[in-house]
Amino acid sequence: MAEKNYPYWLEIPPLKGESGCPETAGIVVIGSGLSGASAAYFLQKRGFEDITVIDYKCEDSATFRNCGHILYGTVESMKAFSEIHGEEKAKELWGFSIEICNKVGETMRSLDMAADYKQDGYLVISISESEDKECRESVKILNGAGFKSDYVDKDTVRSYGFKNTLGARFEPGSAQAHPTKFRNGLMKEFLKNGGKYFSDVEVKSLSENQDGVQVITSQNTISADAVVIAANAYAPLFSDFFNLRRLVEPFRGQIITSKPLKHGFKVKYPHSFDHGYEYSLITEDNRLMIGGWRNHSSTREVGTYSLETNSFITQGLKDFANEHYSIDEKIEWEYSWSGIMGASSTSLPFIGPTNSDRIFSCAGYTGHGFSWAHGCAELLSKIMAGEEVPQVAKYFNPRQIK
């Protein structure tokens, strides 16, 4: 039987908006995924009114196509991150990443949201000597900066049910959750408190005059006081600011998910291999979810908006699972899907006003989207409200990119 070509997470239907399109709005949030839903939620909490969320092809959002990881740090190891930004800046950014991870759990608790949240850690597994060295050095840097991280030796990692592995870094604070349930919970709260939400609205372009921002859509033009671009990889399709500066480039990630297994997994929390190019989770009903392997593609899956799965990558993921998991039973795969993510040109997100004081950005997560989308949306709401923001916000300023 052919594998289902939609995400496992979409067995829970995403909440969709009304049909039609408004003519006016105070604030228009473009995108209803984790960024858009979070931005609307936090803006509303800060007293903004007349907020309208619009989306197009809701189910195609990367929000519903990820692996449910809520991770400290960024896609780079702390060693690589420190080499890119310097140790002091890396420490500051890593600390912020911890705050925004914890914010996801805080929001769920405040809304009494059932989204399968677990703060049970993250295992970064080495499958090469060079990666294992980088893993050890990252632990040393993190511990030296006052962050909790532990090295796990080869024998212990293999006793967890992995094979052909050399060691790992364990981080106790990272978490996991069901992305659709979390996003739906945010949207329900937003709508309950007077927010508006319209689906199947394709944004073509943005323009501005002395009266505000015009959001030109396939249906009509929305006149707004302000706009939040929360469409991540899709932002260059309608925003000249993103397109001309090449702030984000689309790349296609791919995930497969097995049927429920009898195997007793010792590690059910988020884990990854090969510098994060393969990433996994064990679902509530004991399925193996594994994604990645795009680094073996000739194009690295960069520059496409196609959601068609790549059979070469599908088979690569299956082979990878057989090579690195000690599972006695035959794995039957039930789901295979892809999603479009946005790689930031600076490796950091873009949060704040663009070249317009009325058009704001909340995008550019380069793979670590769950917590960064939610936490950066709160940061954006503070910026828009004129509140004091942490010093780390200066690293995300879109206006730094000419």
Side-chain angles (χ1 to χ4, degrees), residues 157-232:
V157 172
R158 295 186 179 187
S159 75
Y160 290 164
F162 301 103
K163 59 185 180 181
N164 300 316
T165 54
L166 298 177
R169 180 178 71 83
F170 179 68
E171 187 176 82
S174 291
Q176 60 175 293
H178 194 300
T180 309
K181 291 180 181 179
F182 180 62
R183 176 269 185 187
N184 282 354
L186 292 174
M187 289 301 298
K188 287 176 182 176
E189 183 69 14
F190 167 68
L191 293 172
K192 183 181 77 174
N193 291 300
K196 300 170 187 174
Y197 172 30
F198 295 86
S199 286
D200 301 317
V201 178
E202 183 180 10
V203 178
K204 295 292 190 178
S205 63
L206 303 174
S207 65
E208 186 178 7
N209 60 28
Q210 60 184 9
D211 297 321
V213 183
Q214 284 67 53
V215 181
I216 295 92
T217 80
S218 56
Q219 299 183 35
N220 63 350
T221 296
I222 308 170
S223 297
D225 295 327
V227 167
V228 173
I229 299 172
N232 206 27

Side-chain angles (χ1 to χ4, degrees), residues 22 24-30 36-54 187 190-191 193-198 226 228 381 384:
T24 61
I27 300 173
V28 171
V29 178
I30 304 172
S38 297
Y41 167 75
F42 283 120
L43 286 168
Q44 196 177 61
K45 282 192 70 175
R46 282 180 163 73
F48 289 94
E49 298 178 343
D50 193 17
I51 304 168
T52 297
V53 175
I54 58 175
M187 289 301 298
F190 167 68
L191 293 172
N193 291 300
K196 300 170 187 174
Y197 172 30
F198 295 86
V228 173
S381 72
M384 292 177 68

